[in-house]
Every structure is written in structure tokens, then in C-alpha cells.
């Protein structure tokens, strides 16, 4: 069956207990930020297009307390990791903070360096239930949780758009991953019971109520074949899109239409580049259509759009994998499944499937029978974005 996701309170208590054990006193501040799943709108964010993610119940929690020094001591005690990992660094000169080991601490350091106000040293414990390397944005959850924690200890609350951009910059500069803006945005702005349509050009958002999902569900299936976002494949695709926009004299593919493909062909753009462009342009159209379908409760249409999205990611953008294709095809073969696609960057990670509630056990058992790897399943319940938590047990 689907995995049980510990509720936020349970994770918070673990973090508070771990803080007390490690530092011998109670934490004074506690925050959390969620991972995300993208319903549709893949590889569109860095092209100033549209995305339609929702925040998940899986979260990264940080519990901590200023320590009256210039030193930050942070313990990562993720439930997925049995051994505890510790990072310690001086923050008196933020410009002197550099990425290093342990790797997870780079996301924290990046946020500290980008935080606009001066900071006190602090002790903290980080615990996360967002699976790492599954394409559910464990890095964005850590960045946004860190930023929210810094807001909590300084009392300075940033504008949400600037906060998301600052966290994205942390990932660019400290993890070397040239990601788009989707993951940080939804982790900051998610709302309970809602998916979010984000226009990545002007950063405007529409919160879409998911109440009228009625007897339909989104099921996440983790292929447990880790995605390698930092691999050059992501960067190559991003560069091909930027190059195509440049060839057409446009700032981004958002200003390009399907008609312009003919010009690209005349200009001698490669078939691969044209396929990348075709994916992005159609994916933007699909994402806007998906928002309308979701608002109208037209799940049949939404499912079709999800299927088209996956097929284009597989054939035009070439970011699927045999594992993801097997999961998608198996899900689609079950009656009551309306659509299934890879979610996130691709190359591994997870799929998202829209299905009628009544067929969920059938889908899960068919995947278990067909898939040779070990799949895990989560219900994609649209959840709240980053927030402060109280420090009560
Ligand atoms: C990763 C990136 C996002 C986005 C997706 C693909 O998750 O972090 O910014 O580009 O891939 O849609």
C-alpha cells in the first residue's frame, strides 16, 4: 500500500527531542518546509513558462536556538539516515562561507549567505521526511526551511517571491545546480488543499482549489532509481533552449510560438534542438489547459494532458528512463487510470498518476508485479507551504 507519511507534529517532536539530546537545552524556534510534486509543466520554469505543482505532506523540519556566538552548529538527523551528520561554520563573515562537506550543509550555507540581514550564530537540528534523490525537491525543502528558520530567529520576514529567488540562488551558487524557480516557489507558497499555477515570467500565481477532485487521487510512485539532476543532461537541455531563443532574437522560449519552429529549421537548428523547443512550447499550452481542466473538474482532459506531457518528455525532451516508462505504461494499463507521467527533472525519480480512487490497490499491485525494481508509493495530498511551528511537544 501507499507509505505512511509521518505527520508534521511527529517530525517536529523528533527534531525537538534530538535538539535537547544534542545541545542539552530546549529549542526556541521551529519551522518546516515541504517537498513538492509537479502535476504538469516540466522543464518550462527556466524557459519563463508555466508550472502546476503542489506542496506535499513530506517536510523538512528545523528546530534550533541562537547560541550567542558567531558559530552555527547544525545536525542532520534525517529519518532516512541512521547516522547523524554535523556541520559547523563561522558566520561572522558571510562572504567567507564556501561550499564543502557535508554536502547537505551547502544548501543551508547558501541561504545564510543570501539572507539579507545579519544573523546570530545558532545551534539547530534538521530532520526531513522528503525522500532524497526522488525528484520531490528535498533540496528546495531544505533551502526554504533554512530561510524560514533564519526569518524566525531574526524576526525579519522576507517578501515570498524574494525568498524563493534567494533560495534558488543558494542552489545555483552552493550546490552548482542551475535549477529553475518552481521547487522553491511551491515550497514557499503552497496552500493546504491547493495546487498552484505559477507563471515563471512575471511570478504571478493562481491557487487552484483541489476540493472538487471528488473520488480522484494523485498517486506518486517512486522508481527508487535516483535521478541525477546535477548531471550535465539538465544543463544541456537548458542551454539548448536558451540557444534556440537567442537564434530567434527572443529573451526566452516564452516569447516563441510554434510558428517560429519553421524559422529555426531555416536557420539550421538541429533536430534535437527543435524537439526540445517543441516540447517546451506545447508543455506551456498543456499546463494552462490543465489548470482549466482542474478548475472545471474535467479529470479526463487532465489525464490526457498528463499523458501527452510524459510522451513528449520521453520523445522530444528525452528525459525519461526505462524505469519511468515502465511505471507509466503499467499504470496506464489499469482501468480507472486517467493519466500518468514522470514528474520533476526526469532521468529517474518519481511518476505521478491521476486515478479513480477505487482502482488504487489494483494500480499498486500491478506495478509491484511488473516493475523489476522496488517501487514505493505516496498519496499526493496537496499541503501547506513553509511555516513556523510552535515548540510544544
Ligand atoms: C527540477 C528543477 C526545476 C524544474 C524541474 C523540471 O526539479 O529543480 O526547477 O526545472 O526539474 O521541470
Amino acid at each position: 500500500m501507499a507509505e505512511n507519511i509521518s505527520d508534521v507534529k511527529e517530525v517536529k517532536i523528533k527534531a525537538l527531542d534530538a535538539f535537547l539530546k544534542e545541545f542539552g537545552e530546549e529549542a526556541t524556534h521551529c519551522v518546516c518546509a515541504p517537498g513538492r510534486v509537479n502535476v504538469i509543466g516540466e522543464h518550462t520554469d527556466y524557459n519563463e513558462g508555466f508550472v502546476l505543482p503542489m506542496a506535499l505532506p513530506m517536510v523538512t523540519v528545523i528546530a534550533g536556538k541562537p547560541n550567542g556566538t558567531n558559530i552555527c552548529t547544525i545536525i542532520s538527523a534525517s529519518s532516512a539516515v541512521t547516522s547523524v551528520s554535523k556541520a559547523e561554520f563561522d558566520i561572522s563573515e558571510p562572504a567567507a562561507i564556501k561550499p564543502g562537506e557535508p554536502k547537505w550543509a551547502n544548501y543551508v550555507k547558501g541561504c545564510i549567505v543570501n539572507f539579507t540581514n545579519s544573523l546570530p550564530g545558532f545551534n539547530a537540528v534538521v530532520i526531513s521526511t522528503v525522500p532524497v534523490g526522488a525528484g520531490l525537491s528535498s533540496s528546495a525543502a531544505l533551502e526554504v526551511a533554512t530561510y524560514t528558520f533564519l526569518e524566525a530567529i531574526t524576526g525579519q520576514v522576507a517578501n515570498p517571491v524574494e525568498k524563493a529567488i534567494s533560495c534558488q540562488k543558494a542552489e545555483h551558487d552552493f550546490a552548482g545546480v542551475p535549477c529553475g524557480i518552481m521547487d522553491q516557489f511551491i515550497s514557499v507558497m503552497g496552500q493546504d488543499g491547493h495546487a498552484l499555477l505559477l507563471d515563471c515570467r512575471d511570478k504571478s500565481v493562481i491557487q487552484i482549489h483541489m476540493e472538487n477532485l471528488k473520488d480522484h487521487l494523485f498517486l506518486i510512485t517512486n522508481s527508487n532509481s535516483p535521478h541525477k539532476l546535477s548531471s550535465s543532461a539538465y544543463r544541456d537541455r537548458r542551454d539548448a533552449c536558451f540557444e534556440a531563443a537567442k537564434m530567434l532574437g527572443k529573451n526566452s522560449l516564452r516569447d516563441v510560438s510554434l510558428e517560429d519552429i519553421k524559422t529555426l529549421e531555416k536557420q539550421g537548428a538541429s533536430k534535437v534542438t527543435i524537439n526540445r523547443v517543441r516540447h517546451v512550447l506545447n508543455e506551456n499550452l498543456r499546463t494552462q489547459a490543465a489548470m482549466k481542466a482542474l478548475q472545471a473538474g474535467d479529470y479526463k482532459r487532465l489525464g490526457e494532458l498528463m499523458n501527452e506531457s510524459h510522451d513528449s518528455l520521453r520523445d522530444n525532451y528525452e528525459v525519461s528512463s526505462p524505469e519511468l516508462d515502465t511505471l507509466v505504461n503499467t499504470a496506464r494499463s489499469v482501468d480507472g487510470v486517467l493519466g500518468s507521467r514522470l514528474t520533476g527533472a526526469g532521468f529517474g525519480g518519481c511518476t505521478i498518476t491521476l486515478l479513480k480512487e477505487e482502482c488504487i490497490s489494483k494500480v499498486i499491485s500491478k506495478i509491484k508485479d511488473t516493475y523489476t525494481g522496488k517501487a514505493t508509493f505516496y498519496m499526493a495530498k496537496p499541503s501547506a507551504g513553509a511555516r513556523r511551528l510552535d515548540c510544544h511537544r
Side-chain angles (χ1 to χ4, degrees), residues 30 102 113 202 255 330 361 389:
C30 196
V113 171
D202 67 10
D255 297 319
T330 310
S361 348
L389 304 169

Side-chain angles (χ1 to χ4, degrees), residues 36 38 41-46 51 135 137 168 171 177-184 227 229 234 313 341 343-346:
R36 64 98 188 93
N38 193 17
E42 224 63 85
H43 291 278
T44 46
D45 60 353
Y46 50 83
V51 292
S137 291
Q168 178 199 27
E171 184 143 349
V177 179
C179 61
I181 191 63
M182 163 168 71
D183 307 345
Q184 293 78 8
H227 78 144
L229 180 57
Y234 184 90
L313 287 161
R341 59 182 288 276
T343 183

Side-chain angles (χ1 to χ4, degrees), residues 100-144:
E101 293 290 336
K103 289 226 161 26
W104 61 264
N106 291 334
Y107 303 100
V108 177
K109 290 178 183 170
C111 290
I112 288 178
V113 171
N114 290 338
F115 197 72
T116 38
N117 295 285
S118 64
L119 287 164
F122 59 83
N123 299 331
V125 165
V126 182
I127 297 193
S128 187
T129 55
V130 188
V132 174
L136 300 178
S137 291
S138 57
S139 345
L142 177 55
E143 290 146 16
V144 174

Side-chain angles (χ1 to χ4, degrees), residues 43 45-46 172 177-181 183 228-240 317 319 344-347:
H43 291 278
D45 60 353
Y46 50 83
H172 288 186
V177 179
C179 61
I181 191 63
D183 307 345
K228 297 180 191 74
L229 180 57
S230 53
S231 75
S232 57
Y234 184 90
R235 199 182 288 268
D236 288 351
R237 279 152 184 78
R238 186 175 167 272
D239 291 350
Y317 224 68
V319 292
F347 314 108

